[in-house]
Amino acid sequence: MKSGALTTLFLIFSLFTILNAQERGSIHGEVQELSTKDFLPGVNVFIEGTTIGASTDINGHFEINNVPAGSHKLVCSFLGYVKQIKDIEVTAGKTVTVNFVLEESSQRLGEVEIVSQRATATENAVMLEMKDAKQLISGVSRQQISRSQDSDAAKVMQRVPGITIVGNRFVMIRGVAERYNQVLINDVIAPSTEVDRRTFSFDLIQSDAIDRMIINKTASADTPGDFAGGVIKVYTINYVDEDFTNVNLGLGYRVGTTFQDFYMSNGSNTDFIALDNSFRPLPADFPITRVMKESPRNATLRQTAAHSLPNNWNPIRSTVLPNYSFGVSLGRKKTFENGSKLVSTNNLSYSKKFQNIVRDFTRYDAWTDFSEPINLFFKFEDDMYEEETSISAMSNWSYIINSRHSIKFSNLFNQIAEERTTLRSGVNFFRPDELRKDYLLGFRSRTIYSGQFEGKHEFSPVNNLRWVTGGSFLGENEPDLRRFRTYTENTGPGAENGIFTMILPPSSNLFDASRYYGKLKEFSVNNGLDYTHTLAESSRGKMELKGGTYVDYRKRDFNSRYFSFLYPGFSDPVIGEQLSQLPLDVIFSNENVTPADGFILEEGTRPIDSYASSNFLMSGYAMISAPIGLLNIIGGLRVENNQQKLDAQDDLGPIKIDNTVLSFLPSLNLSYSITERSLIRAAYSRTVNRPEFRELAPFLFYDYQLDAGRAGNPNLETATIDNFDLRYEIYPRLGEVVSLGAFYKRFDKPIENITNITTEQPQFTYANADYAENLGVEFEFRKSFKQVFNSPFLDRMSANVNASYIWSEVNLGAAAINQEQVRPLQGQSPYIINLGLSYLDNANKFSVSAYYNIFGDRIFSVGDVLFPTIFELPRNSLDITITKEINKMIAIKAGVRDLLNAQYRFVQDSNRDARIDTDVDDTVFAFRMGQLISLSATFKLHKE
C-alpha cells in the first residue's frame, strides 16, 4: 500500500476513535524527590491495569487526559525509587490533582510502558534511554546543550564518548572515518551534504532545534545496516508542555578577526540570505559547452560570452564586524474538549560568522637519502577569509489524538552560504627568483530540506504500528570560483610591492586565470513501517516480535564547467605581456577581452566533469526481544537490497555503473542485569558500507587549500564489517552513569582514501583495501556531587568524563602500489579525552560549565613514495560558559570558545618511521583559529 493511502487510512481511523470517545476526565500533578525536594523528570505515572499514563516533564509535572470516569489506582514508578500507588476518583469533565513524593530504594521496579508524551530533552531522560535501550548507545540532551557554547550539532557531538570532530563539521566515531557513519534526522536517512566525500555536515543543524542526539554504536535489525562507526540520530524538538515565545540575540568577538582587515570580492545583493541567483552564475543565454569548444579562438561568440561575466577578480578590503545572530522560537499546545492535543514547535534563526586564519603552508621536495636535509618545494603564507551566512528554520507539528494514537509532521530547512577568499604569498623553490601571489575567490551556497510524516498507533495493548514517510532535498551551487596565480621578480625586501604578472595557461585548466561553476541537486523519498506485537509481559519486561520495511530512493545530478583566460599565440607577445601585468580590477575587463590582441575565454570542460546517479534501497527485517530472567536477548535479521546506478564519462568513453548488492545482516544484543543499577551488554552485528556517488564518479576536482586533486573510482565495491561489543554499565543515581566498554571491528574491503602519483601535486582517489581491524576501549563517567560532600558549593557540582583508546590497522594489499601496505586507518585517533565540569545553582538561576577536549595523532592524508603521510597533532581545547537567568523573562549566556587557542598543526612523517617527532619531522600546515568570546540573551515573551 502506498504511503499516502496508508496515511489516509490512519487519519480516518483516528477520527473514528475521537467521535466514539466516552466522557472522560483528567489527572495532573507533580513528583518530587524526598531527600532533595527536587522535581523529578521522566517519572512514569499510569492507571493500574491499563496503558493510560504519562511521564513527568523537566519540571516534574505530569498530565493525563482522556481518563474514564470512575475509581482507579494511580501508580507512580521510577527507576531506583519506591513505587507509590494512590486511590483516586475521576469525574467526567473535571481534573483531579495528585502529587507524589518518591523515596530512593534498592529494590527493583517493574518496567512500565510509557504511552504518552515523555520528557526526552533532559539529561535524566537520556540516561534512562541509554539504560533501557536494546542497543549500546550514547546520547546528549538539550539540557546538556544549554549549558555549553555549542551552537550547532557538530560542537554538541564532541561531548560524546569516542567522538572526534574533523574540520569543525564532520563526525568520527570510535576512530572510524566519517564516511562509515549513518545519519538519521527524525528517524529518516539524511543526505550526504558534501560534493567530494560521503559525510554529513553537522554544522548545518543549529543546537536550538535539537531535542536530543542518540548515537547507536551497535546495530539491531530495525536500524539501517550501512554503517561501521555508528548511527547518529538527531531528533528535533516536537513537543512542549506550555506555550512559549522566545527571542534570542547573540554577538561574538573572534580574536584576530573581529575589527581587523577583511578581504572579499564583490557579491550579490542577495548574499545576505545565503543565495546568489543572478550575479555570479552563468547567464541563462550563455553558450553551451559544445558550442564554446567548437568555436574558433578568435570567434565573436567567445568575446560575447566573456563580456557577459562580471569583472570580479579583485579582493576588496573592509573592516569585519563581530559575529551576530538572532532567532525566534514559538511553542504552542492546544488541548481540545475530547482530550486530543495539537502541539507546534517552530524555530527561525539567522547568523553571520566571520573568520580570518593565517596559515603557514609548506611542501617539501621528494628525496631518497633521509640523512640529507629535505629541500623545500614551496613555502607559502595563506591569509584565509571566510564569511558564513546561515538561515535555519524548523517547524514541527504533533497531533496527539489520545494516549494510543499520534501523528507528527516534522520539517527542517537550512540555507547556508560560505564566501571565501584566500590570499597566498611566498616562494616556489623550483623558481626561487620569483615571488608568488596566488588567489582563490569563491562563494558556495547549500540548501537542505528534510521533512517527515510519522504516525504511532496502539491498536491494542499488544499491537503497535509506527509508520514514517518523508523526503529530502540537497542543493549545492558554487558559481564563479576563481583561482589564479601571479608572480614578480624576487629581489628581496620590498619585492611584494612590485608589479605582478598573471600566469596564463596554454589551455584551460582549474588553477590559472580560471573560472569554475558547479551545481549539484539531490532528491530522496523514503517510507518505513514498524510493527510490534507483545507476546508476553512480566516484571522483567516484554517479550516482543517486531518487523518492518524501509525503502529509500535517491537521485543526484552533478554538472560543472570551467574556463580560463588565455592570450592566443597568434597575438602580439609584447601586448600580451603588458596585459598580463595590469591590476586585478582591470586585467579581464571587457576592453581587454577581445580576439584582436586581447585575452580570449576558453572552456576546458570535459565529459568527466558531470555525472548522474541514483540509489534504490529496499530493506526488511524481523527481530525478537525476549527477557529471560535477568537476561534480555534481542536478535534479528535485516535484509537490504541496494541498487546503485551512475552514468558518467571519462576520456576513454561512457562509464555506466549498475551494482545490485543483496546483504543479509544479522544482529544480536544481550544485556544482563547484575543488580538494579548495573548491567553488562554484549553485541554482535554485521553491517555494510557502500560507496557514495562522488566516490564512484571519475570527476576530478582541484582543491586549492590542499593544492591537490581528487578523483573518484568507478570500480569501488561494498565493504562488509563484523562488529563485536562488550560494555559494563552502572547507574548509581538519577542522571549518573559509569561505563567501561570494549569493541572490535573487522572490515572486508574497506574503502580508503589513497594517493596517486602525479608530477608536482598529490592526487587523492578511493580504493578498496584488503581488510582492516579496529580495536578499542571506552570509559564514561557522569557524576553529580550532590550530597557527596558537606559543602553547599560542591553540592552543586557535576562532572562528565569520557575517554577512548583505539588501535587500528588497514592492509591495502594490491592497492598499496605507491604507499605503505599496512598502516592505521586514516583519521583514526589513538586516544580521545573529553572532560566536563558544571556548577548549577538552581536557587539563583546561575550556572558555569567548562569542557576540555584532546585527541591523539591522526592521519590527515595518506602518503606515497613522493609525498609522506601527514598527521594532525593533538591540541588542547577548552570552552567555558556562564549562564544567568535575570528573571522569568531574560536569561544571559556568556562564554569563551577555544580559550587556550592552541595551534592546529599538521606534520608530515618526513623520515617515514610511522610516528611523529616534531624535532625531526616537518610541519606542513600550522595556524590558530583565535578565541571566540560570545554573549547572548534570551527573552521569554510569554503568551497572554
Side-chain angles (χ1 to χ4, degrees):
M1 182 180 293
K2 293 186 177 179
S3 60
L6 187 63
T7 303
T8 303
L9 178 62
F10 285 138
L11 288 173
I12 293 173
F13 175 82
S14 302
L15 292 173
F16 177 80
T17 302
I18 295 170
L19 292 173
N20 288 275
Q22 61 178 325
E23 208 171 359
R24 302 177 179 229
S26 301
I27 308 169
H28 77 131
E30 296 174 335
V31 180
Q32 284 182 292
E33 208 264 353
L34 177 63
S35 60
T36 65
K37 304 304 180 183
D38 288 341
F39 290 102
L40 294 175
V43 178
N44 303 317
V45 184
F46 62 100
I47 304 294
E48 187 177 60
T50 75
T51 58
I52 301 173
S55 282
T56 57
D57 60 24
I58 189 173
N59 298 311
H61 180 268
F62 70 89
E63 181 180 347
I64 307 174
N65 295 307
N66 210 24
V67 180
S71 299
H72 301 283
K73 291 185 180 294
L74 187 64
V75 181
C76 182
S77 174
F78 195 49
L79 176 70
Y81 290 82
V82 177
K83 177 167 59 177
Q84 289 190 17
I85 302 176
K86 293 187 177 183
D87 293 321
I88 63 169
E89 186 73 26
V90 176
T91 303
K94 295 185 178 181
T95 299
V96 59
T97 300
V98 185
N99 297 323
F100 292 93
V101 180
L102 297 185
E103 181 181 5
E104 281 194 285
S105 171
S106 59
Q107 298 179 358
R108 164 170 286 278
L109 301 177
E111 285 194 25
V112 178
E113 180 183 8
I114 299 171
V115 297
S116 185
Q117 296 298 312
R118 57 172 294 178
T120 58
T122 68
E123 285 191 79
N124 294 336
V126 170
M127 289 292 99
L128 289 172
E129 188 167 353
M130 289 171 58
K131 183 181 185 301
D132 296 338
K134 295 179 173 62
Q135 306 91 1
L136 194 155
I137 71 172
S138 296
V140 181
S141 67
R142 177 155 51 103
Q143 187 180 51
Q144 184 178 351
I145 295 170
S146 68
R147 298 174 184 167
S148 71
Q149 284 290 302
D150 299 336
S151 59
D152 55 59
K155 297 178 179 65
V156 172
M157 287 286 289
Q158 68 183 359
R159 315 299 180 194
V160 179
I163 302 293
T164 51
I165 305 300
V166 180
N168 295 318
R169 64 182 62 177
F170 308 121
V171 170
M172 292 181 59
I173 300 178
R174 292 175 160 182
V176 178
E178 65 268 24
R179 70 167 324 285
Y180 288 98
N181 299 326
Q182 183 68 269
V183 180
L184 305 180
I185 299 177
N186 296 319
D187 290 322
V188 169
I189 295 176
S192 178
T193 59
E194 302 301 299
V195 171
D196 283 309
R197 61 206 300 186
R198 171 191 159 137
T199 189
F200 184 85
S201 183
F202 281 90
D203 64 328
L204 296 176
I205 302 178
Q206 300 298 304
S207 60
D208 289 345
I210 299 173
D211 180 78
R212 70 197 187 282
M213 297 179 70
I214 301 296
I215 298 90
N216 287 40
K217 296 181 178 179
T218 61
S220 62
D222 57 351
T223 57
D226 186 359
F227 80 96
V231 176
I232 303 167
K233 298 181 178 180
V234 182
Y235 294 97
T236 55
I237 302 169
N238 58 33
Y239 188 81
V240 295
D241 293 294
E242 59 183 17
D243 292 355
F244 69 87
T245 301
N246 293 342
V247 176
N248 184 273
L249 304 175
L251 288 174
Y253 177 90
R254 173 78 71 176
V255 176
T257 297
T258 306
F259 300 129
Q260 303 298 310
D261 288 345
F262 205 74
Y263 287 86
M264 286 290 163
S265 59
N266 284 324
S268 166
N269 57 9
T270 57
D271 284 356
F272 77 100
I273 57 171
L275 282 172
D276 184 357
N277 292 323
S278 59
F279 181 67
R280 299 181 185 90
L282 290 172
D285 59 352
F286 197 87
I288 63 174
T289 297
R290 178 182 57 80
V291 173
M292 280 288 292
K293 298 192 75 170
E294 290 179 354
S295 65
R297 281 189 165 182
N298 60 352
T300 303
L301 172 79
R302 294 197 182 193
Q303 178 182 3
T304 303
H307 288 182
S308 69
L309 304 178
N311 178 30
N312 192 18
W313 297 83
N314 186 41
I316 300 169
R317 186 177 68 178
S318 63
T319 300
V320 69
L321 296 172
N323 295 351
Y324 60 90
S325 64
F326 55 87
V328 178
S329 299
L330 299 173
R332 296 291 184 268
K333 183 175 72 171
K334 171 73 173 176
T335 302
F336 300 101
E337 291 183 359
N338 57 24
S340 64
K341 298 178 183 178
L342 179 64
V343 182
S344 174
T345 57
N346 303 273
N347 178 281
L348 177 64
S349 62
Y350 180 93
S351 68
K352 182 84 77 171
K353 301 175 185 177
F354 305 92
Q355 178 76 68
N356 177 26
I357 298 172
V358 180
R359 182 183 73 159
D360 294 326
F361 182 17
T362 309
R363 184 167 291 162
Y364 304 86
D365 194 9
W367 72 97
T368 56
D369 185 356
F370 298 155
S371 64
E372 295 294 326
I374 300 175
N375 295 322
L376 286 170
F377 180 68
F378 61 66
K379 186 174 181 60
F380 295 133
E381 181 181 275
D382 288 349
D383 284 311
M384 305 165 66
Y385 304 89
E386 181 171 313
E387 176 184 328
E388 179 184 284
T389 304
S390 177
I391 299 174
S392 178
M394 180 198 75
S395 183
N396 294 343
W397 298 77
S398 298
Y399 181 45
I400 304 164
I401 302 168
N402 51 43
S403 61
R404 300 180 300 278
H405 301 277
S406 64
I407 296 173
K408 297 178 182 178
F409 179 39
S410 303
N411 300 271
L412 185 64
F413 171 84
N414 283 278
Q415 182 67 41
I416 187 168
E418 300 148 349
E419 187 168 0
R420 297 167 292 151
T421 296
T422 299
L423 309 180
R424 177 172 291 166
S425 60
V427 177
N428 184 321
F429 289 93
F430 273 37
R431 302 288 297 271
D433 57 331
E434 295 178 354
L435 182 65
R436 287 270 296 277
K437 281 189 178 180
D438 301 343
Y439 299 78
L440 176 143
L441 308 174
F443 175 91
R444 180 177 71 149
S445 65
R446 284 176 288 170
T447 304
I448 298 178
Y449 168 77
S450 176
Q452 307 91 29
F453 281 99
E454 178 187 10
K456 293 182 179 179
H457 306 274
E458 181 188 316
F459 296 109
S460 71
V462 297
N463 293 295
N464 292 273
L465 181 68
R466 172 186 171 273
W467 56 268
V468 61
T469 184
S472 66
F473 169 77
L474 167 65
E476 177 168 296
N477 187 23
E478 192 163 18
D480 204 9
L481 172 62
R482 287 138 288 153
R483 293 167 288 196
F484 54 98
R485 304 184 294 173
T486 69
Y487 69 92
T488 191
E489 185 178 356
N490 188 6
T491 57
E496 66 275 9
N497 297 319
I499 297 176
F500 280 79
T501 300
M502 179 75 66
I503 297 177
L504 300 171
S507 61
S508 182
N509 65 38
L510 290 165
F511 45 82
D512 284 325
S514 172
R515 310 185 86 143
Y516 167 88
Y517 300 79
K519 183 171 287 189
L520 177 149
K521 289 185 178 179
E522 179 176 311
F523 301 87
S524 72
V525 292
N526 42 65
N527 180 265
L529 290 172
D530 299 283
Y531 174 76
T532 304
H533 176 70
T534 302
L535 299 172
E537 186 173 358
S538 68
S539 61
R540 304 303 310 174
K542 296 180 180 180
M543 178 177 290
E544 294 179 333
L545 283 175
K546 187 176 182 180
T549 63
Y550 188 82
V551 178
D552 181 81
Y553 176 78
R554 289 192 296 145
K555 179 176 174 56
R556 171 182 287 191
D557 290 299
F558 174 77
N559 297 279
S560 68
R561 299 176 71 177
Y562 67 90
F563 312 85
S564 290
F565 285 102
L566 317 178
Y567 189 78
F570 50 78
S571 299
D572 188 335
V574 175
I575 296 177
E577 184 176 357
Q578 293 173 347
L579 289 175
S580 63
Q581 294 180 351
L582 289 173
L584 296 179
D585 57 346
V586 298
I587 183 172
F588 296 127
S589 57
N590 288 350
E591 59 267 24
N592 297 324
V593 181
T594 171
D597 292 326
F599 298 115
I600 60 101
L601 185 68
E602 179 155 299
E603 182 163 4
T605 308
R606 299 181 295 162
I608 199 174
D609 295 314
S610 301
Y611 62 88
S613 53
S614 65
N615 194 89
F616 185 37
L617 171 67
M618 295 187 296
S619 61
Y621 73 91
M623 60 186 293
I624 185 170
S625 175
I628 303 175
L630 299 177
L631 179 66
N632 198 7
I633 303 173
I634 303 97
L637 176 67
R638 186 177 187 90
V639 180
E640 295 191 345
N641 187 75
N642 193 77
Q643 184 181 41
Q644 200 166 45
K645 294 183 177 182
L646 186 138
D647 290 322
Q649 294 189 62
D650 62 12
D651 294 331
L652 300 178
I655 294 176
K656 288 189 175 293
I657 297 173
D658 190 350
N659 292 334
T660 301
V661 178
L662 180 64
S663 302
F664 293 88
L665 308 174
S667 62
L668 178 65
N669 288 270
L670 307 175
S671 63
Y672 181 81
S673 298
I674 301 172
T675 68
E676 162 66 15
R677 305 188 184 194
S678 65
L679 68 156
I680 189 168
R681 300 181 188 271
Y684 163 77
S685 62
R686 172 164 286 187
T687 57
V688 295
N689 187 235
R690 303 182 180 99
E692 184 55 50
F693 298 138
R694 173 62 185 97
E695 296 169 338
L696 291 167
F699 167 64
L700 175 65
F701 181 78
Y702 170 68
D703 189 328
Y704 179 90
Q705 309 293 8
L706 299 179
D707 191 40
R710 187 176 299 277
N713 177 5
N715 299 314
L716 287 178
E717 300 179 58
T718 297
T720 303
I721 307 99
D722 289 297
N723 309 273
F724 300 85
D725 283 88
L726 183 68
R727 188 161 83 174
Y728 176 58
E729 301 173 1
I730 305 173
Y731 295 86
R733 295 191 302 177
L734 180 67
E736 298 181 351
V737 62
V738 180
S739 69
L740 179 64
F743 61 88
Y744 170 77
K745 298 177 182 290
R746 193 184 192 283
F747 300 73
D748 180 48
K749 297 181 180 178
I751 298 171
E752 274 282 294
N753 183 14
I754 67 170
T755 305
N756 279 342
I757 294 281
T758 59
T759 52
E760 295 183 2
Q761 299 165 342
Q763 181 171 302
F764 303 117
T765 187
Y766 309 91
N768 290 103
D770 277 2
Y771 67 90
E773 295 177 294
N774 194 9
L775 176 66
V777 293
E778 296 175 331
F779 171 76
E780 182 177 13
F781 174 82
R782 297 192 194 187
K783 175 66 177 175
S784 169
F785 297 151
K786 183 175 290 187
Q787 298 181 335
V788 175
F789 302 101
N790 188 22
S791 166
F793 176 78
L794 294 177
D795 198 54
R796 301 184 181 106
M797 301 288 290
S798 62
N800 184 348
V801 179
N802 61 75
S804 304
Y805 178 81
I806 305 165
W807 169 90
S808 71
E809 182 178 275
V810 59
N811 192 315
L812 295 181
I817 298 174
N818 303 313
Q819 55 189 178
E820 294 180 357
Q821 181 175 342
V822 178
R823 55 165 171 78
L825 280 164
Q826 180 192 11
Q828 178 257 305
S829 297
Y831 65 85
I832 307 161
I833 300 173
N834 292 300
L835 307 175
L837 190 64
S838 298
Y839 173 86
L840 178 60
D841 184 348
N842 283 317
N844 294 303
K845 307 297 183 182
F846 175 77
S847 68
V848 180
S849 62
Y851 289 98
Y852 169 83
N853 168 265
I854 190 172
F855 56 84
D857 295 355
R858 60 190 183 195
I859 295 177
F860 171 74
S861 69
V862 178
D864 60 12
V865 297
L866 289 183
F867 303 99
T869 295
I870 299 174
F871 287 79
E872 182 179 0
L873 300 193
R875 64 182 301 272
N876 298 292
S877 174
L878 178 62
D879 303 336
I880 296 178
T881 305
I882 301 172
T883 303
K884 171 63 178 173
E885 188 173 311
I886 306 300
N887 52 44
K888 291 184 178 181
M889 295 187 64
I890 303 175
I892 303 294
K893 180 187 289 187
V896 181
R897 185 167 183 84
D898 199 8
L899 176 65
L900 304 177
N901 194 26
Q903 187 180 52
Y904 289 82
R905 193 173 177 188
F906 297 78
V907 177
Q908 70 176 22
D909 182 18
S910 298
N911 61 4
R912 316 290 178 117
D913 65 353
R915 63 185 183 88
I916 294 298
D917 181 348
T918 54
D919 293 330
V920 176
D921 298 312
D922 299 282
T923 300
V924 179
F925 310 124
F927 59 91
R928 300 181 193 273
M929 299 281 286
Q931 298 94 332
L932 178 61
I933 304 168
S934 60
L935 176 66
S936 64
T938 299
F939 302 90
K940 301 177 181 179
L941 311 177
H942 294 283
K943 181 181 178 183
E944 295 182 357

